[in-house]
Amino acid sequence: MTARFGRPRGAPLVARSVAAQVFALQAVIVLLLITAAAAALVFQARHDSELDARHRSLAAAEAFAHAPGLPAALASPDPVARLQPLAEGARKASGVDFIAVLSRDGVRYTDSRPELIGKRATGDLSRAVAGQPFTEIFRGQPSDAVRAVVPVRDPTGAVVGLVSTGIEIGNVGDAVQGQLPLLIGAAAGALLLGTGGAALVSRRLRRQTRGLGEEEMTRMNEHHEAVLHAVREGVLIIGADGRLVLANDEARRLLDLPPDAEQRHVGDLGLDPRTAALLASGRVATDEVHLAGDRLLAVNVRPTKPYAGRPSGTVMTLRDSTELAALSGRAEVARSRLQLLYDAGVRIGTTLDVVRTAEELSEVAVPRFADFVSVELLEPVLRGEEPSVVSGVYTEMRRAALSGIRADTPLQPVGDTIRFVVPTAPMAAALDAGRAVLAADLNAAFGWRAQDQEGTRVALDYGLHSLISVPLQARGVVLGMANFWRADTPEPFEEDDLSFAEELAARAAVSIDNARRFTREHAVAVTLQRSLLPRVLPDLSAVDVAFRYLPAQAGVGGDWFDVIPLPGARVALVVGDVVGHGVHAAATMGRLRTAVHNFSTLDLPPDELLGHLDELINRIDQDESGADPDSGDGGASGAESAGVTGATCLYAVYDPVSGRCTMASSGHPGPALVHPDGRVEYPELPVGLPLGVGGMPFEAVELYLPEASRLVLFTDGLLEDRDRDFDTGLGLLTEALSRPGRSPEQACADVLAALLFPSPSDDIALLVADARRLEPGHIAEWEVPADPAAVSRVRNAGSAQLAAWGLGDISFTAELILSELITNAIRYGTAPIRVRLLRDRNLICEVSDGSSTSPHLRYAATTDEGGRGLFLVAQYAERWGTRYTDRGKVIWAELPLTGDGESTAPQAPDLDALEDLAW
């Protein structure tokens, strides 16, 4: 009770308790009374001091005014000399602060302050001049005082002067202050006595109320009344001496206690001896059944907590279990069934895997409903396809799950084909009826026994004796069959168990159907995704590449990657992510990958390529959003009409000649750069807006990749998930990449081992590229002056270099191409003109100049004198093209490293004559 309604015993007094409130109220009242009394005493003392000062001043003034010879002294020629000694003597004798003899005009003849003699006294003296003595509280110069003024009369009765005496206010206050210590001491003593008495009263009250507050006391009283009169459970409180302290109405009724039962010993209450012994012993009991007349009582006994040094007693609660005993069995069964259905709703369908869902159904029913559970599914369901049936008869299924209370089982294992060949068998009958079928005694189930005589005999010998077969149906379509078997449980299944089995199977069927449809859609999306991703990456000299792509467990997303060869032995590394999952995300990914491939053929810088890609996506979104969904041809609805806004992309171009890597990002995480010593850094990369948002240009950065360094591109699904943030994943990635000496394939495997989730919620794309450098001996460059005579010199130098490389077979073709490209650069281009030969997997011939004029292929007529140069280049080169630089353009051509014999034909034209051909 104290734990719920109030403060524990021994705890300090708190303001919310009744005792604390009473103490605070008493203390305030005592303090107010003492303060009022002290103030009254101070005021009274001050009043008495002032009254005493008036009397003393008036008496001194009267005595001095009636002194003999005073009128004669006032009339003498020098009254000051005669009266000043007399006045000072009288002042000291009377104890007043001053005695001043004044003329009728108020001029001082004497004063305790000699400097005031001869000066006029302030204040109203008219009453004394008129012959009336008076006292007053004088405020003014030379000081505030209690003053008395008495007239001096001559023998004829005429007023000839005045006598003023007084006591200064400060001295009156000193008299009061002298009494203050006594007053304060008396007030403090009274306060201590008052608060001490209040504390004693509050302590007594606190012990009786146990520190409870007003609301708690009210609520406790309400609960007390409820326990006594309303609770339909008996309550007895027995003291440490075995006497009954309290019994509520229900306890009196159940035990038939006498009206005066309280304060009587439990042995004198007429209880059953076993019950009385239990109460007297104080033993703890839980739901013990005791007899009380014709009632069976469930008894609970617990000790009470000791309080204020008193020994603990006991509390007994009683409830009548006579009627509950008959219902407890059925109620427990119903409760366990409801709990089992709840557990089934929580545990079945946790994944979108068909087989796992079937296993969850078999696991949840064992052992609380059946000893063994087997689940069979149709073959199309296992593949994620829509189930189909020929002539409405299901003849066989595949066993997908089997669970039991024992590992050994006579039932066919998972993976076996289960055939239903006997129509009267419980399985076939359930499928035909579309509802659960009970075989309470398998010994009498002749249809089941006829289906497999040898197998059923083994099952009966094993102990299987009862079966419920339930078809798994969703949307009116049969997906499979669930069989519930009993072996060790002696009770057979009953008719009441059929509805429960059907409810359990119905819940599982919905989950299996959802998993089946997801399996189908997932398989379609995975197939589409993998068909759109590169299956084999090109074999390049610039990089050594390995990759991994893993679809999400919950649905394929739009992650993609690519490795695109570029002219000049360069390579483009691409990784991207489309927001969303499913077929639409995969299709969108394919569109973006195709667009990147197309734009890369233009040999654009990364930032410009992303800009063109962003513009293309905006145009696609506008076209799709503007299509009429009711037109039947151009419109689409749902996910199919969704735009591609939200895609991200990282595009990087690596040049193995210079070791430079230029990259740009549209909302995608930047790459990881792994140095040869294993140090991992994440270059700072301007992250633009995602594709399709538009409005902002993209920015490219250029990095220098040291030789033997590694560039790692990835999507955010690798790093973050529901249970891990991006920064945590970045730390794990850094640790996985920091171990040197591994191939890209090994690096991919290590990264996935460190970061892969058991069930990833997003796609994962990982691209690991080891940067290689083109050997200096495979590069030849020449500066070309703007002189046609230089063509032959450069051509001859190139021929010599090809001979040094062992490429004499293609020397003639290379000379022809060089001659044409250099000649036209001199004629139509601007300085500087440079020639570069790269010996890679192909021979790459590059001629650069400072002009941005783009050449185009022409087909010259037989009578034309020029226009065949670029045509010849296109005929002899394997590939050719133009790329633009910041300061001009580069025209390139690629030749295979081995000639085909045609270039050395006798009919080959003269190379010097070809220099005159125009583009």
Side-chain angles (χ1 to χ4, degrees), residues 187-198:
L191 181 61
L192 290 176
L193 290 176
T195 53

Side-chain angles (χ1 to χ4, degrees), residues 49 167 316:
S49 297
I167 299 174
M316 171 184 280

Side-chain angles (χ1 to χ4, degrees), residues 681-902:
E681 66 171 308
Y682 298 91
E684 188 172 347
L685 180 66
V687 180
L689 296 175
L691 298 174
V693 176
M696 295 295 291
F698 298 99
E699 184 178 352
V701 296
E702 187 176 79
L703 305 176
Y704 176 76
L705 302 187
E707 192 168 0
S709 61
R710 174 172 292 168
L711 199 63
V712 181
L713 286 71
F714 51 86
T715 57
D716 56 2
L718 178 69
L719 302 183
E720 59 184 353
D721 201 81
R722 291 181 295 267
D723 301 325
R724 185 174 70 202
D725 58 23
F726 188 87
D727 292 337
T728 302
L730 205 63
L732 295 175
L733 177 63
T734 302
E735 183 179 355
L737 294 174
S738 60
R739 297 189 293 273
R742 295 167 302 158
S743 67
E745 284 290 339
Q746 292 172 335
C748 285
D750 291 346
V751 168
L752 292 184
L755 283 89
L756 186 61
F757 294 94
S759 299
S761 60
D762 196 5
D763 286 18
I764 295 175
L766 175 64
L767 190 64
V768 178
D770 282 359
R772 297 173 178 170
R773 299 291 292 276
L774 198 61
E775 297 180 9
H778 289 184
I779 304 171
E781 295 182 280
W782 298 275
E783 291 281 351
V784 180
D787 182 5
V791 175
S792 60
R793 294 196 302 270
V794 176
R795 186 180 65 217
N796 294 332
S799 178
Q801 182 64 61
L802 292 177
W805 284 342
L807 302 178
D809 292 345
I810 62 171
S811 177
F812 175 80
T813 306
E815 289 182 44
L816 173 64
I817 292 174
L818 282 177
S819 179
E820 292 303 325
L821 296 181
I822 297 171
T823 299
N824 285 279
I826 293 174
R827 287 184 177 180
Y828 306 109
T830 59
I833 301 173
R834 296 181 59 85
V835 174
R836 184 170 71 168
L837 295 180
L838 302 178
R839 187 185 188 279
D840 193 30
R841 297 178 184 271
N842 292 326
L843 177 65
I844 303 171
C845 304
E846 295 181 346
V847 177
S848 63
D849 66 82
S851 172
S852 59
T853 303
S854 176
H856 61 279
L857 184 63
R858 292 174 54 192
Y859 296 91
T862 56
T863 58
D864 291 343
E865 296 182 0
R868 297 181 179 84
L870 197 55
F871 177 77
L872 290 175
V873 173
Q875 289 295 314
Y876 281 89
E878 189 176 63
R879 290 196 313 154
W880 73 277
T882 304
R883 70 172 182 270
Y884 294 92
T885 64
D886 295 338
R887 298 182 180 179
K889 67 178 182 296
V890 177
I891 303 177
W892 55 270
E894 291 184 2
L895 299 173
L897 296 183
T898 57
D900 55 5
E902 296 180 359

Side-chain angles (χ1 to χ4, degrees), residues 502-514:
E502 288 181 338
E503 176 67 21
L504 190 61
R507 297 192 179 198
V510 172
S511 297
I512 291 174
D513 189 50
N514 290 337

Side-chain angles (χ1 to χ4, degrees), residues 522-543:
H522 185 72
V524 172
V526 168
T527 302
L528 176 61
Q529 179 85 336
R530 293 194 182 278
S531 67
L532 295 175
L533 288 172
R535 298 185 179 182
V536 179
L537 295 181
D539 190 11
L540 303 173
S541 300
V543 289

